[in-house]
Every structure is written in structure tokens, then in C-alpha cells.
Amino acid sequence: MATKIDKEACREAYNLVRDDTTGVNWAIFRYDGCTIVPGDQGSVYEEFVSACTDDIRLFAYVRFTTGDAMSKRVKFVLITWIGEDVGGLQRAKTSTDKTLVKEVVQNYATELLVTDHKDLALENILNALKKAGGANYDAQTE
């Protein structure tokens, strides 16, 4: 059976993360049978990481404040998590299902495919955002 997405519900979760006034910094899009639906959401990144268990696959839209001494700005990351215990067929379907998520989640600085918990470390995500951002003025000293 083909995967579907609950676009309206997922769009609401997406907009909560984008909204500067909500305090929501991440939203998960999970599978409910053959439908992608919004899952948990929160403000603490470590809570999101703990939701990434070895037996599931999910998509997440995560907000980060990045920048350097010259400026601070909000950046967004689209993360695809595929746990270690997810079967081969489900792993393969995840990449095609991501196109459904991208119909809703359209604004992000970078996207990451993550299968190992160590790759979810905050430092690794921020480094990926820094690379995607181009110029790095942190190297300058006064």
C-alpha cells in the first residue's frame, strides 16, 4: 500500500516550529500505518534525540539558533531518522516517502539522513548547519 501524508496536520506542526512565538523547536513526523502524521513536538533538543529509537523511522523538523560574533539567526534542519533495527524494505521506502514530507516541509538550511545516535549529537548538527551556511566569520579575531 502506498504511503500517504496528513498534509494539514503536518503543516500545523511545521508552522509551530517556524513560529518565533511558540517555543516549539522541533516536531516529529511519524508513521501511523501507511500514513505520515505529526508526532511529538517540544522545545528541548535532547527530548527529540530520545525519541529516535532503534526500531523506528521518522522525519523531524528542528529549529536551531546559529551564527557567529557578527550575527545570530534561526536555521532549520530536516532530519530523517532510520533506526538500526528497521528492516531493509522500510529503509528503502523512507527515501521515497521523504518526498511527501517535503511537500509540507519546504524551508530548511540542510537535510540529514541519520542512522546512528552519535550523528544526532548537537555538535554534529550545528557543524552541518555551519557548512551549509557558507561564510564563517568566527575565525576572525579582534
Side-chain angles (χ1 to χ4, degrees):
M1 183 179 259
T3 304
K4 301 177 292 186
I5 187 168
D6 184 342
K7 280 188 182 180
E8 290 308 311
C10 288
R11 189 168 286 118
E12 285 179 25
Y14 165 73
N15 286 332
L16 281 175
V17 176
R18 291 196 54 81
D19 189 337
D20 293 334
T21 64
T22 65
V24 175
N25 289 330
W26 56 268
I28 288 175
F29 305 101
R30 63 176 181 79
Y31 289 87
D32 182 12
C34 290
T35 305
I36 299 171
V37 297
D40 294 338
Q41 48 194 244
S43 59
V44 179
Y45 180 72
E46 290 73 20
E47 293 173 359
F48 157 68
V49 172
S50 68
C52 296
T53 59
D54 286 336
D55 60 334
I56 64 167
R57 57 194 175 127
L58 58 78
F59 305 94
Y61 190 60
V62 187
R63 172 191 196 102
F64 293 95
T65 301
T66 65
D68 48 44
M70 304 295 276
S71 66
K72 297 285 184 195
R73 56 204 164 273
V74 173
K75 296 287 184 176
F76 300 92
V77 179
L78 175 60
I79 298 174
T80 302
W81 166 259
I82 303 175
E84 190 177 297
D85 299 335
V86 173
L89 185 58
Q90 285 187 326
R91 284 177 180 270
K93 270 187 62 66
T94 303
S95 64
T96 57
D97 294 346
K98 188 190 314 187
T99 60
L100 296 171
V101 174
K102 286 181 174 182
E103 290 176 11
V104 174
V105 177
Q106 298 180 344
N107 296 304
Y108 48 89
T110 191
E111 69 177 274
L112 302 171
L113 171 62
V114 182
T115 59
D116 189 331
H117 281 97
K118 70 179 180 205
D119 294 332
L120 286 173
L122 184 58
E123 182 179 322
N124 293 338
I125 304 297
L126 292 176
N127 283 338
L129 275 173
K130 191 179 280 190
K131 286 179 187 175
N136 178 10
Y137 299 107
D138 271 347
Q140 293 181 351
T141 57
E142 294 181 22

